[in-house]
Amino acid sequence: MTAPGNTGGTSAARPKDLDPATARPVLDSSDINRALTRIAHEIVERAKGADDVVLLGIPTRGVALARRLGERLASIEDGAKVPVGALDITMYRDDLRLGPARALERTEIPAEGIDGKLVVLVDDVLFSGRTIRAALDALNDIGRPRAVQLAVLVDRGHRELPIRADYVGKNLPTSLRETVKVHLAEYDGRDAVLLGTRAADPAAAPTDAEK
Amino acid sequence: MKRHLISAADLTRDDAILILDTAEELAHIAERPIKKLPTLRGRTVVNLFFEDSTRTRISFEAAAKRLSADVINFSAKGSSVSKGESLKDTALTLQAMGADAVVIRHHASGAPHRLAGSGWLRGSVVNAGDGTHEHPTQALLDAFTMRRRLAGGRGDLEGRRITLVGDVLHSRVARSNVLLLATLGAEVTLVAPPTLLPIGVESWPCTVSYDLDAPLPKSDAVMMLRVQRERMNAAFFPTEREYSRRYGLDLRRMAMLPEHAIVMHPGPMNRGMEIAAEVADSTRSTIVEQVTNGVSVRMAVLYLLLGGNEPALSAPSTASTPSTGTEESTK
């Protein structure tokens, strides 16, 4: 009674696992810290404060980045409390039918809601832009922000949709054969951004498939 | 697993936890102003009900609609065609209409299994209750409710003591619950008069007792089963009053439960029979909550079966064969 073929258990259309042999660090821990501090300042500058800012991280690593940005905004704006949440976009993905149904991540919308707020979406890597499109659709079902902006740690190019980031930690020119992997202390024990070629055999690669 | 959900025994521990975790996330949708996700746009879910049902049908319908699937309700009540033929013809019709999933309730045990195994349909089959056999989504929503109330909404039910009381013989809810709860590590006790226990119950992964007062003080949850008068054509107990006195949950018995224990009932209830009205309406009762949770759990099942290009539930190798034996044996 099982679906024929395709029993490898791999996910997604785009294998994104990094071949460890080719991986080289492009950002280290202090680079990431500086980038986040700069982005926090830019957000405050453009929004003229942080009063109505709501940070929504896209799981998994965007959530930790959003939390870190929230702490920095609070210290820049003298203890202003910036709401931080998480926005899972799984149910809005346009590639759901290309693989088995995926497990969901947590969505946590801050109690203040997003109506009339300046929502800053936070993600680790901006690539095709499809994740952000899905995030915009998801936001639409949750409320009506005053404006939506996008902050990413790494912009690796190769957009497939008319989407750009408002705040970029680092612009990283890549080829499509390459893949970018963000490590964060909250999940991986250390901070680093690695660039390398994709693992040769996607079917044999471990399951965590992010950017 | 499997493209289908026929029996709670089809689910591995990982499958069950994936469904419960997914339901936990989907439960938040109910709190939003727009209670809808686009995930199953363009998919068709047919509710094929050969037997009366309010909450299960409405629950599946709400679940499918919240995921943006198209829902067709097919009430086959009154059909006089014999089981095999009518099922086949109906299935071929549904296949011709392009049903991606068929949610079936049938008075005959094994009907969903027949539908799933026949090759008549290309879509998924979800058992919404077949005869006295199984009702897996009810077991999932019960486990979801227990996990929320007893285990903080995470992990499994390892070591929790669950007591199921009443008409086990006619109860598909009991069978599915026993199987699923055992998978999730709970210790299940069935309490019923000997006449209302099925043959072979000693092979089920649970203990059996004829006395309700004994297991109550160490139960984390008590689930009262409905006395199914419509399936009773023989004398299973002397009088309703005697049944109620020996196996009904009244205030005195509820007081014997530990502080944290919950009282469950899959509905519809016979107030005053298996459960006293004051117990059903008490703060320990999760009866209304179970209905709410049913929608979340059914959304999770439909999403995991239909959301991708293949079901997300476990590897085919482990789960594809063993269902046949168990289902045939219960007919």
Side-chain angles (χ1 to χ4, degrees):
Chain A
M1 289 323 96
T2 52
N6 199 2
T7 53
T10 54
S11 60
R14 205 193 298 272
K16 293 154 184 162
D17 291 292
L18 190 60
D19 178 1
T22 64
R24 62 189 164 85
V26 283
L27 295 182
D28 63 17
S29 167
S30 54
D31 295 330
I32 292 174
N33 274 328
R34 276 195 293 274
L36 289 175
T37 306
R38 176 173 51 76
I39 289 173
H41 280 282
E42 286 175 4
I43 291 173
V44 172
E45 193 181 355
R46 273 184 58 178
K48 300 193 168 54
D51 296 340
D52 62 351
V53 171
V54 175
L55 297 166
L56 289 183
I58 297 174
T60 49
R61 285 174 182 69
V63 179
L65 292 172
R67 285 205 195 99
R68 294 190 193 184
L69 274 177
E71 287 162 15
R72 282 172 171 77
L73 286 176
S75 69
I76 295 168
E77 281 295 282
D78 245 353
K81 185 86 182 72
V82 180
V84 178
L87 182 66
D88 177 43
I89 55 105
T90 307
M91 301 296 261
Y92 295 85
R93 297 181 72 100
D94 61 4
D95 60 355
L96 268 179
R97 309 239 167 124
L98 301 180
R102 296 156 172 256
L104 303 186
E105 305 280 349
R106 177 130 302 183
T107 291
E108 271 169 53
I109 303 301
E112 298 88 335
I114 61 166
D115 285 325
K117 307 277 187 179
L118 171 64
V119 170
V120 180
L121 295 171
V122 185
D123 203 0
D124 53 355
V125 181
L126 179 58
F127 182 23
S128 66
R130 289 173 190 268
T131 301
I132 306 305
R133 182 211 58 84
L136 292 171
D137 284 353
L139 275 185
N140 205 29
D141 284 353
I142 293 168
R144 186 180 185 279
R146 172 171 76 74
V148 182
Q149 296 178 346
L150 173 61
V152 296
L153 184 58
V154 174
D155 181 350
R156 61 164 295 192
H158 304 290
R159 216 72 77 243
E160 293 164 5
L161 292 170
I163 280 171
R164 65 167 176 78
D166 298 87
Y167 313 102
V168 178
K170 180 164 179 67
N171 281 300
L172 192 63
T174 58
S175 89
L176 279 173
R177 280 198 318 280
E178 290 173 314
T179 188
V180 177
K181 184 80 195 157
V182 173
H183 288 293
L184 292 176
E186 290 90 332
Y187 307 103
D188 313 290
R190 65 176 182 132
D191 280 3
V193 176
L194 305 176
L195 175 67
T197 52
R198 282 208 303 261
D201 178 14
T207 49
D208 180 36
E210 278 309 309
K211 278 124 231 173
Chain B
M1 54 176 193
K2 323 258 295 205
R3 196 148 54 88
H4 312 294
L5 179 59
I6 306 297
S7 160
D10 296 348
L11 300 170
T12 63
R13 182 179 170 281
D14 286 349
D15 285 339
I17 288 177
L18 175 63
I19 293 172
L20 298 183
D21 287 348
T22 305
E24 195 69 52
E25 297 306 323
L26 291 172
H28 298 299
I29 304 293
E31 296 150 19
R32 294 198 194 160
I34 299 173
K35 299 174 183 45
K36 208 160 177 81
L37 292 166
T39 317
L40 297 185
R41 260 181 87 225
R43 305 254 164 152
T44 302
V45 175
V46 177
N47 284 329
L48 181 60
F49 278 63
F50 289 85
E51 202 184 62
D52 292 341
S53 160
T54 26
R55 75 201 71 216
T56 304
R57 190 181 59 74
I58 292 173
S59 183
F60 267 108
E61 185 171 349
K65 285 183 168 168
R66 283 192 185 168
L67 292 169
S68 303
D70 295 315
V71 181
I72 298 173
N73 287 313
F74 189 117
S75 175
K77 192 151 189 277
S79 162
S80 58
V81 194
S82 69
K83 175 186 153 195
E85 267 182 357
S86 77
L87 246 193
K88 178 172 183 177
D89 288 340
T90 313
L92 293 176
T93 308
L94 299 177
Q95 177 59 42
M97 288 194 305
D100 296 294
V102 175
V103 175
I104 176 173
R105 163 159 300 187
H106 203 286
H107 43 79
S109 303
H113 176 66
R114 180 89 176 106
L115 197 59
S118 59
W120 299 327
L121 279 174
R122 272 198 298 276
S124 296
V125 176
V126 179
N127 182 359
D130 59 332
T132 59
H133 175 220
E134 285 226 37
H135 192 352
T137 58
Q138 177 72 40
L140 284 163
L141 77 89
D142 290 334
F144 181 85
T145 307
M146 291 175 208
R147 200 175 77 143
R148 270 204 158 173
R149 288 293 197 105
L150 305 172
R154 297 175 55 188
D156 59 16
L157 291 166
E158 191 67 49
R160 309 287 160 174
R161 293 198 178 93
I162 317 293
T163 306
L164 274 66
V165 189
D167 186 358
V168 179
L169 178 64
H170 298 103
S171 178
R172 51 201 176 204
V173 176
R175 184 188 304 266
S176 288
N177 257 294
V178 167
L179 294 170
L180 182 67
L181 289 170
T183 304
L184 289 171
E187 295 167 21
V188 184
T189 305
L190 291 176
V191 181
T195 48
L196 286 176
L197 286 167
I199 292 168
V201 72
E202 59 282 352
S203 67
W204 292 17
C206 61
T207 51
V208 176
S209 161
Y210 303 138
D211 173 24
L212 178 53
D213 289 346
L216 283 182
K218 42 186 191 342
S219 296
D220 297 301
V222 185
M223 188 186 303
M224 305 309 296
L225 302 168
R226 184 170 67 93
V227 175
Q228 303 199 22
R229 292 196 188 97
E230 78 275 16
R231 295 190 209 275
M232 289 190 187
N233 40 21
F236 289 95
F237 44 82
T239 67
E240 295 194 355
R241 225 176 119 220
E242 182 178 335
Y243 178 87
S244 180
R245 209 154 6 108
R246 294 197 56 183
Y247 295 101
L249 190 66
D250 53 16
L251 285 174
R252 177 187 71 82
R253 287 208 168 99
M254 189 168 78
M256 295 165 70
L257 288 166
E259 200 63 37
H260 66 274
I262 56 173
V263 174
M264 309 178 74
H265 193 299
M269 287 181 270
N270 297 316
R271 284 175 183 251
M273 176 84 170
E274 70 267 2
I275 187 164
E278 306 83 51
V279 175
D281 298 330
S282 75
T283 51
R284 290 175 163 220
S285 152
T286 60
I287 296 167
V288 179
E289 202 177 312
Q290 284 168 266
V291 177
T292 309
N293 293 343
V295 178
S296 308
V297 163
R298 290 175 177 123
M299 283 174 79
V301 168
L302 290 175
Y303 166 65
L304 292 170
L305 289 178
L306 301 181
N309 63 349
E310 59 177 288
L313 305 175
S314 73
S317 54
T318 53
S320 52
T321 41
S323 62
T324 326
T326 55
E327 277 155 64
E328 297 301 333
S329 67
T330 57
K331 279 188 187 167

